[in-house]
Amino acid sequence: MSSKGAAPPSAAAADPPRRTGRRQQRVAAAVLLTPFTALLVAVFLVPVGYAVYLSLFSEDHEGLGFGGGRTVFTGLRSYLSVLQDPSFLSGFGTIALYCVIFVPLVVISALALGLLLDSGLIRLRRTVQMLVYLPHAVPGIIAAVIWLYLYTPGLSPVIKLFAQADITIDFLGLHTVLPSIVNIALWSGLGYNMIIFYAALQALPREVIEAATIDGAGGIRTALQVKVPIIRGSVVMVCMFSLIGALQLFTEPMLMNQATPMVNSRFTPNMYIYDAAFRRNNYGLASAASVILLIVTCVLSYAVTRWSGRRERRA
Amino acid sequence: MTTTTPTTPVNTPQGPPARPLGKPFGRSKLTSRGIANAVVLIAALYTMLPALWLVLASTKNADALFGSDILSFGDFSFGRNLSDLFSMDGGLYGEWYVNSLLYAVVGALVGSLISVAAGYAFDKYEFRHKEKLFGLVLTGVMVPPTVLALPLYLVASNIGMVNTFWSVFIPVLFNPFGVYLARLLSSGYVPNEVLEASRVDGAGELQTYVRVSLRMLGPGFVTVFLFQLTAIWNNFFLPMVMLSDQHLYPLSLGLYTWNSAATVSPEYYPLVVIGSLLAVVPLIVAFVMLQRYWKSGLTAGSVK
């Protein structure tokens, strides 16, 4: 990696400069790494450590607020109260249900589009890619605003259209609000995932597919039995990243929360954290919930890296 | 400037030539081609129509937005909406726009300089605990920014930094994925021989970095920059947690508060619509102009 192996012959004689060179390299590495390391400590390690600390202590206000209350060690009490809180657990339940709908939907539709683009049947392929990718450049909050308005009776041309056919449709009802949120995520993520699959398909060795064709496999069979199994690495990656993304769900339901009582203020784990910290002013509870979410996310992420690591070794 | 080829697969905007592979779907070529194109057309309509609605709706005033047909242009008030947008609440929208540009453009610029420097150091130099430190970087990649928002708020409130420009600006500089990507790109774009040659010429390490390596890393830099620009422009949870002064808000948070105001006073609806439209423009422009770069970044990221 460094200069050791690739030293030109003339440098062999110049030993002392070499040594100063090595020191120079260490200095250079330190200079280049310092800003990032400072950030790593200041906005990653310290906050996480502080959240863990706060989750183990709590402000004691028994003295009617004399002297602002003192901090007492409460051990895992905050964690217990978070884990026993039905509204926190129902947040994870919401996420689970959301994943059950969203993950298969986005993977299958993005994969289908990727395969179609790869099949050579599609006209204007570049334009199509751009158009389908476009929503990914739309910030999450704005995507949510657009769709919220398309779901709002009176504003929405979609609802008007259905009304003309005498169909009443309520996008923000008890059973429709979660699919409505899924739809926003699908709209934003479809093109992004399509391009990931398309890029993976483009990298496939052409001989394999030609061989399948010579063996008499049709287009659909080649796609499902030859192409998809080879790019299953990308498929699993997209699944896992969608799962991890789902755990972060915040923007869309937060906006929906303003529009419909069907989305309460603790609808997802992130909303629970926000609610605990800023509406209930319970930092111990909010910290404990953050740490739990952090751990769950890390466990899932670890699974991703383990999995993709195995895939690389196999390849 | 030397032309270098990255090791990561790069899709040029032209795309590969069309390659029909053997028998296409089914027996009848014509119908299968028709069905395939129809499916893709539906997908394109699905992604396009809501965006188109935003464009059309931005030409309507509050009454027309709720009342008439969306396609009728009888009541064209785009200009009126635009001037309302920038005059409402003492020109807050303009301030939000400037804030967003500051957070996103300056933040992404500084942030990617930091990330690229770190990634380059990880690639080119040997030092103690290198792989341990890189393990921390990878952990950082796994932890999404929203999980860090509350812990960051707690620290910031402890040192009295809450509700300042810096409380949003500093955390967004941290981009471990950028470091990961930069290490990958550095090993692809900057051959070690170039460093050797520069050393033989007597140039210092940092001099070499600034004058030679950074130039070769140009395309990689743009990729990291774009990723970070998008992330910061989309940032919502962190500003929401940190900021209470409306004058410091980025667009995302500003539009959110106007949208909540709209449920009480509907004159905000057209402003949220046109405000959203304008807020999308910079990213679309960046994406269309720098298409080549994000595609290479996307594939590099998915190879991970």
Side-chain angles (χ1 to χ4, degrees), chain A residues 163-181:
Chain A
Q164 275 165 13
D166 273 332
I167 302 169
T168 322
I169 190 158
D170 178 13
F171 288 110
L172 302 171
L174 179 61
H175 297 294
T176 47
V177 74
L178 197 65
S180 294
I181 294 174

Side-chain angles (χ1 to χ4, degrees), chain B residues 9-250:
Chain B
V10 176
N11 279 309
T12 50
Q14 292 81 23
R19 284 169 309 216
L21 291 168
K23 273 189 274 177
F25 293 66
R27 281 218 187 95
S28 159
K29 265 190 188 180
L30 223 59
T31 32
S32 58
R33 189 176 284 274
I35 292 169
N37 279 290
V39 170
V40 172
L41 181 71
I42 290 169
L45 285 176
Y46 166 68
T47 50
M48 274 313 292
L49 285 180
L52 195 66
W53 174 83
L54 187 70
V55 175
L56 289 176
S58 69
T59 66
K60 305 265 177 283
N61 61 29
D63 293 335
L65 206 54
F66 280 95
S68 62
D69 192 5
I70 189 82
L71 287 172
S72 72
F73 281 96
D75 198 359
F76 190 84
S77 24
F78 184 79
R80 173 81 198 287
N81 285 343
L82 205 62
S83 68
D84 283 353
L85 177 69
F86 283 98
S87 61
M88 184 59 113
D89 293 341
L92 263 181
Y93 185 82
E95 288 181 47
W96 295 338
Y97 216 100
V98 173
N99 291 341
S100 266
L101 286 175
L102 277 180
Y103 290 128
V105 178
V106 181
L109 209 60
V110 176
S112 14
L113 274 175
I114 293 174
S115 303
V116 168
Y120 174 83
F122 274 119
D123 175 46
K124 295 292 179 230
Y125 297 122
E126 294 300 325
F127 47 89
R128 239 181 295 160
H129 305 309
K130 174 165 142 173
E131 291 311 322
K132 273 184 205 154
L133 191 61
F134 198 68
L136 262 182
V137 174
L138 291 180
T139 318
V141 174
M142 292 182 207
V143 177
T146 52
V147 182
L148 287 178
L150 182 85
L152 275 168
Y153 167 81
L154 297 171
V155 171
S157 82
N158 213 21
I159 56 174
M161 290 248 307
V162 163
N163 199 23
T164 59
F165 173 81
W166 304 107
S167 67
V168 173
F169 185 79
I170 294 175
V172 298
L173 297 179
F174 179 60
N175 180 10
F177 180 69
V179 177
Y180 168 82
L181 206 58
R183 180 179 187 173
L184 213 71
L185 295 171
S186 160
S187 66
Y189 283 111
V190 188
N192 290 328
E193 292 76 31
V194 174
L195 261 71
E196 276 308 319
S198 180
R199 275 169 200 152
V200 170
D201 286 348
E205 292 297 327
L206 291 173
Q207 213 176 353
T208 308
Y209 172 66
V210 175
R211 297 225 181 119
V212 183
S213 312
L214 204 51
R215 280 195 199 165
M216 298 178 114
L217 277 170
F221 181 84
V222 179
T223 308
V224 175
F225 173 80
L226 255 182
F227 267 77
Q228 207 163 352
L229 184 78
T230 324
I232 305 175
W233 198 266
N234 290 345
N235 203 357
F236 176 63
F237 196 26
L238 183 75
M240 184 167 190
V241 165
M242 289 286 187
L243 304 175
S244 49
D245 179 1
Q246 292 207 333
H247 298 281
L248 292 173
Y249 281 9

Side-chain angles (χ1 to χ4, degrees), chain A residues 1-4 6-8 18 21 24-26 28-29 31-33 35-37 39-40 42-48 50-51 54 113 116 118-123 125-126 128-142 145-150 153-155 157 160 183 186-187 190 192 195-196 198-199 202 206 209-210 213 216 218-220 227 237 241 244 248 250-251 254-255 258 270 273-274 277-278 283 286-287 290 293-294 297-298 301-302 305 308 311-312, chain B residues 11 13-25 32-33 36-37 39-40 43-44 46-48 50-51 53-54 65-68 70 114 117-118 120-127 130 133 136-137 139-140 142-144 146-148 150-155 158 170-171 173-176 179 183 192 196 199-200 203-206 209 227 230 233-234 236-237 240-241 252 255-256 259-260 262-263 269 272-273 276 279-280 283-284 287-288 291 294-295 298-299 302-304:
Chain A
M1 183 109 309
S2 76
S3 54
K4 277 172 241 157
R18 198 113 276 267
Q24 238 198 355
Q25 286 181 30
R26 268 210 303 276
V31 170
L32 293 175
L33 273 169
F36 178 75
T37 316
L39 277 175
L40 182 78
V43 304
F44 182 56
L45 297 180
V46 168
V48 170
Y50 191 56
L54 272 180
L113 287 175
L116 282 176
D118 188 59
S119 72
L121 290 171
I122 303 302
R123 285 153 191 275
R125 217 170 331 167
R126 268 178 64 203
V128 166
Q129 274 190 64
M130 279 292 283
L131 292 183
V132 179
Y133 186 83
L134 180 99
H136 195 251
V138 175
I141 188 81
I142 289 170
V145 166
I146 295 175
W147 281 101
L148 178 62
Y149 288 6
L150 291 176
L155 269 172
K160 275 176 208 155
N183 177 53
L186 179 69
W187 186 74
L190 183 63
Y192 181 84
I195 294 204
I196 288 183
Y198 181 57
Q202 292 283 302
R206 288 294 130 185
I209 290 145
E210 270 150 34
T213 319
I220 295 176
K227 290 183 186 174
M237 290 285 285
F241 280 117
I244 294 167
Q248 313 308 316
F250 178 74
T251 311
M254 203 66 185
L255 200 80
Q258 298 175 336
N270 257 331
I273 293 168
Y274 184 82
F278 300 103
Y283 289 163
S287 305
S290 290
L293 184 58
L294 189 75
T297 311
C298 279
S301 302
Y302 183 68
T305 16
S308 56
R311 179 169 61 103
E312 257 160 48
Chain B
N11 279 309
Q14 292 81 23
R19 284 169 309 216
L21 291 168
K23 273 189 274 177
F25 293 66
S32 58
R33 189 176 284 274
N37 279 290
V39 170
V40 172
Y46 166 68
T47 50
M48 274 313 292
W53 174 83
L54 187 70
L65 206 54
F66 280 95
S68 62
I70 189 82
I114 293 174
Y120 174 83
F122 274 119
D123 175 46
K124 295 292 179 230
Y125 297 122
E126 294 300 325
F127 47 89
K130 174 165 142 173
L133 191 61
L136 262 182
V137 174
T139 318
M142 292 182 207
V143 177
T146 52
V147 182
L148 287 178
L150 182 85
L152 275 168
Y153 167 81
L154 297 171
V155 171
N158 213 21
I170 294 175
L173 297 179
F174 179 60
N175 180 10
V179 177
R183 180 179 187 173
N192 290 328
E196 276 308 319
R199 275 169 200 152
V200 170
E205 292 297 327
L206 291 173
Y209 172 66
F227 267 77
T230 324
W233 198 266
N234 290 345
F236 176 63
F237 196 26
M240 184 167 190
V241 165
S252 57
L255 288 169
Y256 173 78
N259 183 63
S260 26
T263 50
Y269 275 119
V272 175
V273 168
S276 300
V280 174
L283 278 194
I284 304 269
F287 269 89
V288 171
Q291 234 201 111
W294 60 254
K295 268 198 188 160
L298 212 60
T299 40
S302 63
V303 170
K304 172 172 81 154

Side-chain angles (χ1 to χ4, degrees), chain A residues 89-99 178 249 266-268:
Chain A
L89 297 179
S90 84
F92 277 100
T94 306
I95 297 290
L97 189 58
Y98 169 91
C99 287
L178 197 65
L249 199 62
R266 300 177 202 167
F267 193 70
T268 69

